[in-house]
């Protein structure tokens, strides 16, 4: 069969949140002829193996914690059966499939042509797509957006590492692990370790240093690490893995390691590598189009999502900057506005400063702006004032001391006007709290602006407007 030839104004490579947001905006609001190509499921990492199934699993873990904590409030529960992992996983998968369908429906509503296949760039205007039936299509596009996202980084050169899974594989587990080892110190490893521990799996977390979440403020690093240990997560600090072997029991593995306590062998039924992510650029053909990439393969772009090639743009995880779904969506919409929205949008682009982010750990932790060390480095110690609060959320008032989780808030200010340049919070409800306070900080809030807001009592968040 001869290749099919198509033409369009805007070709979006990647069916994740950022690419589809850009394509839908270009077509639905600005009338551009748009084609979107995706080789996997619509929705990208977030919908299929990221934010969405992760948060559903976190909800289940939070419910498990609430059931346990409810005893302190006088409730009595008799467990008639263990957590039904199979039912939970099937319902979670059904919800994700529903979202896949909604994404496809939205493309139709905005008149974006969707092609399922693997794209390869031939030059800066032409892309060849390998279709599911073995045939090929060639698309000539005036403008091309690379929004192919990323994937879990391959495990290190450890013999037997292939016996483990990555974060994608976590969402394919048909049975709940009885004893799981997670390797990594970033938010993926920390979130999954917290969830598995709360759901009753014996959980081991292997980190290279003595704390995790090391890109976050030291307050969050220190308190989160200590809290995980209090909750029963076994943290192997300053660790390395030497080899992985099949265990004596079906499906089990032996993980050989070194940590701050010496050498050991851990018998586990699940090993999860969460050691970072890499851009999805394999066989994309960026070199044929002349697109420059960074040392780790990320596409290099400027503040306007422009690559070095005039008609090729990139955004989202494939660029390696602020790898968050809402960031990609916002950048994608701004890019479509600038490219197809006319004179009024000629300078449209996403401002990457002060982007709030949350780790759905146990408890949650949120951050926006500069960490305290980064603020001191940027502005100087004499120009920084830090407000800090450590307290126990009223939720834990009915519990024994050993069962109380911490709450910690930090506000980092600079200059005589005490402009807030960093906010870091850890405790129950941090995700919802930070969304609102993030607006204030994005608007340039000063400490006195926080002080001028009357507190809502009794809440944990009131501490942010009453700090001295």
């Amino acid at each position: 069969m001869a290749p099919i030839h198509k033409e369009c104004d805007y070709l979006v490579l990647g069916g994740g949140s950022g690419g589809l947001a850009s394509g839908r905006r270009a077509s639905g609001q600005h009338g551009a002829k748009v084609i979107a190509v995706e080789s996997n499921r619509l929705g990208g990492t977030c919908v299929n193996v990221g934010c969405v199934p992760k948060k559903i699993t976190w909800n289940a873990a939070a419910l498990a914690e609430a059931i346990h904590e409810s005893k302190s409030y006088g409730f009595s529960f008799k467990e008639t059966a263990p957590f039904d992992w199979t039912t939970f996983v099937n319902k979670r998968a059904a919800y994700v499939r529903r979202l896949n369908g909604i994404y496809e429906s939205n493309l139709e509503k905005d008149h974006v042509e969707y092609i399922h296949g693997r794209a390869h760039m031939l030059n800066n205007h032409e892309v060849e797509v390998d279709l599911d039936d073995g045939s090929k299509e060639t698309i000539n596009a005036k403008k091309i957006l690379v929004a192919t996202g990323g994937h879990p980084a391959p495990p290190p050169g450890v013999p037997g590492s292939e016996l483990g899974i990555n974060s994608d594989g976590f969402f394919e587990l048909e049975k709940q692990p009885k004893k799981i080892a997670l390797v990594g110190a970033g938010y993926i490893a920390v979130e999954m370790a917290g969830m598995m521990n709360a759901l009753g799996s014996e959980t081991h977390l292997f980190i290279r240093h003595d704390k995790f979440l090391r890109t976050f403020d030291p307050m969050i690093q220190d308190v989160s690490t200590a809290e995980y240990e209090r909750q029963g997560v076994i943290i192997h600090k300053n660790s390395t893995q030497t080899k992985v072997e099949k265990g004596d029991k079906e499906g089990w593995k032996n993980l050989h390691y070194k940590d701050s306590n010496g050498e050991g062998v851990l018998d586990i039924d699940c090993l999860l590598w969460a050691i970072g992510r890499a851009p999805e650029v394999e066989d994309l053909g960026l070199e044929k189009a002349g697109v420059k990439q960074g040392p780790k393969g990320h596409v290099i772009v400027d503040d306007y999502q422009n690559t070095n090639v005039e008609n090729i743009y990139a955004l989202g995880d494939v660029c390696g900057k602020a790898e968050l779904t809402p960031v990609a969506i916002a950048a994608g919409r701004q890019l479509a506005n600038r490219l197809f929205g006319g004179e009024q949008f000629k300078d449209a682009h996403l401002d990457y400063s002060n982007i709030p982010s949350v780790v759905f750990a146990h408890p949650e932790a949120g951050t926006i702006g500069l960490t305290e060390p980064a603020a001191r480095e940027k502005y100087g110690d004499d120009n920084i004032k830090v407000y800090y609060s450590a307290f126990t959320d009223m939720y834990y008032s009915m519990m024994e001391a050993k069962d109380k989780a911490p709450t910690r808030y930090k506000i980092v200010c600079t200059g005589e006007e005490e402009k807030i340049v960093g906010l870091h919070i850890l405790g129950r409800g941090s995700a919802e709290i930070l969304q609102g306070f993030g607006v204030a900080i994005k608007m340039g809030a000063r400490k006195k602006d926080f002080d001028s807001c009357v507190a809502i009592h009794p809440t944990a968040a009131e501490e942010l407007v009453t700090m001295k």
Side-chain angles (χ1 to χ4, degrees):
M1 181 183 295
I4 299 172
H5 295 275
K6 293 184 176 180
E7 294 185 350
C8 65
D9 299 316
Y10 196 36
L11 175 59
V12 177
L13 304 182
S17 300
L20 297 187
S22 191
R24 289 180 60 199
R25 175 64 59 89
S27 177
Q29 291 193 22
H30 302 308
K33 183 178 180 181
V34 179
I35 297 176
V37 180
E38 170 58 50
S39 61
N40 206 318
R41 292 179 288 173
L42 286 176
T45 296
C46 177
V47 169
N48 297 292
V49 289
C51 328
V52 171
K54 178 271 299 286
K55 185 63 184 294
I56 292 173
T57 310
W58 184 89
N59 288 340
L63 284 169
E65 291 176 320
I67 291 171
H68 172 74
E69 293 163 346
S70 68
K71 297 173 185 177
S72 297
Y73 277 84
F75 291 92
S76 179
F77 290 96
K78 182 178 180 181
E79 187 177 67
T80 58
F83 173 63
D84 189 344
W85 178 272
T86 301
T87 297
F88 167 74
V89 166
N90 289 338
K91 291 185 71 174
R92 185 183 65 192
Y95 177 65
V96 169
R97 287 194 297 271
R98 177 170 169 264
L99 292 181
N100 296 147
I102 290 173
Y103 268 72
E104 186 164 1
S105 176
N106 286 338
L107 289 179
E108 293 176 5
K109 290 177 183 177
D110 285 325
H111 309 292
V112 174
E113 182 180 350
Y114 166 47
I115 298 174
H116 191 270
R118 190 76 176 178
H120 316 280
M121 302 180 79
L122 302 178
N123 52 56
N124 66 319
H125 282 287
E126 283 188 302
V127 171
E128 185 178 73
V129 182
D130 296 332
L131 302 177
D132 296 340
D133 63 3
S135 63
K136 298 179 184 293
E137 283 189 1
T138 302
I139 304 170
N140 188 290
K142 294 177 182 177
K143 301 180 188 300
I144 298 174
L145 172 62
V146 179
T148 48
H151 56 251
V158 176
S161 62
E162 70 278 0
L163 295 174
I165 61 173
N166 56 34
S167 57
D168 289 0
F170 174 82
F171 296 109
E172 298 175 358
L173 290 173
E174 296 180 356
K175 295 181 180 180
Q176 180 178 352
K178 293 181 172 63
K179 190 174 180 181
I180 184 171
L182 303 99
V183 181
Y187 74 94
I188 294 175
V190 171
E191 288 177 339
M192 290 184 171
M195 293 185 293
M196 296 311 299
N197 182 65
L199 290 172
S201 298
E202 181 180 322
T203 304
H204 294 252
L205 180 59
F206 288 80
I207 59 178
R208 287 190 299 172
H209 301 278
D210 60 350
K211 301 170 190 174
F212 51 64
L213 299 177
R214 295 180 67 246
T215 60
F216 287 75
D217 189 85
M219 177 194 76
I220 290 177
Q221 296 180 42
D222 295 339
V223 179
S224 293
T225 303
E227 175 60 10
Y228 265 43
E229 290 178 310
R230 183 194 73 80
Q231 292 181 12
V233 176
I234 302 164
I235 302 178
H236 299 261
K237 301 177 179 179
N238 302 303
S239 67
T240 57
Q241 299 73 47
T242 52
K243 66 178 177 178
V244 186
E245 299 175 319
K246 290 184 178 180
D248 295 332
K249 292 180 288 185
E250 179 69 27
W252 285 66
K253 299 97 181 166
N254 294 324
L255 174 62
H256 296 252
Y257 66 91
K258 297 178 182 178
D259 63 14
S260 53
N261 294 317
E263 298 184 12
V265 181
L266 190 65
D267 188 29
I268 51 177
D269 62 338
C270 184
L271 168 62
L272 193 154
W273 302 102
I275 52 173
R277 295 180 63 80
E280 182 74 20
V281 293
E282 294 82 1
D283 74 1
L284 186 56
L286 292 170
E287 67 285 350
K288 293 181 181 179
V291 176
K292 291 184 178 179
Q293 298 170 254
K296 295 183 178 180
H298 294 101
V299 179
I300 299 172
V301 294
D302 63 14
D303 292 341
Y304 290 79
Q305 313 304 147
N306 299 313
T307 69
N308 63 297
V309 180
E310 185 178 1
N311 66 302
I312 299 179
Y313 314 88
L315 56 81
D317 291 4
V318 76
C319 300
K321 180 180 180 181
E323 297 182 32
L324 300 166
T325 296
V327 172
I329 291 172
R333 288 173 177 163
Q334 292 282 27
L335 177 61
N337 287 340
R338 182 171 67 85
L339 297 181
F340 302 102
E343 184 68 16
Q344 62 177 318
F345 293 111
K346 66 179 182 179
D347 195 50
H349 66 286
L350 177 64
D351 175 9
Y352 279 83
S353 66
N354 285 329
I355 293 173
S357 64
V358 166
V359 181
F360 285 98
H362 295 259
E364 303 163 53
T367 183
I368 182 172
L370 300 174
T371 63
E372 181 181 341
R376 293 186 182 280
E377 181 178 350
K378 181 174 182 178
Y379 296 105
D381 289 340
D382 294 341
N383 294 312
I384 291 295
K385 185 171 184 180
V386 175
Y387 294 85
Y388 175 77
S389 180
F391 62 99
T392 301
D393 191 302
M394 186 184 288
Y395 175 81
Y396 300 107
S397 62
M398 305 290 283
M399 302 176 193
E400 299 296 326
K402 64 181 179 61
D403 296 322
K404 295 181 178 181
T407 304
R408 302 287 187 274
Y409 293 163
K410 178 189 283 191
I411 301 174
V412 182
C413 305
T414 185
E416 293 182 2
E417 75 282 10
E418 293 193 339
K419 180 180 179 180
I420 299 173
V421 294
L423 175 65
H424 311 281
I425 61 177
L426 180 147
R428 295 183 73 248
S430 288
E432 302 294 347
I433 293 170
L434 187 62
Q435 183 67 82
F437 278 93
V439 174
I441 292 173
K442 188 72 175 177
M443 294 175 68
R446 300 158 296 178
K447 178 63 169 60
K448 69 178 183 180
D449 296 318
F450 275 30
D451 295 341
S452 70
C453 182
V454 175
I456 301 172
H457 182 75
T459 64
E462 69 180 293
E463 197 75 13
L464 290 171
V465 298
T466 57
M467 277 195 208
K468 303 297 181 184

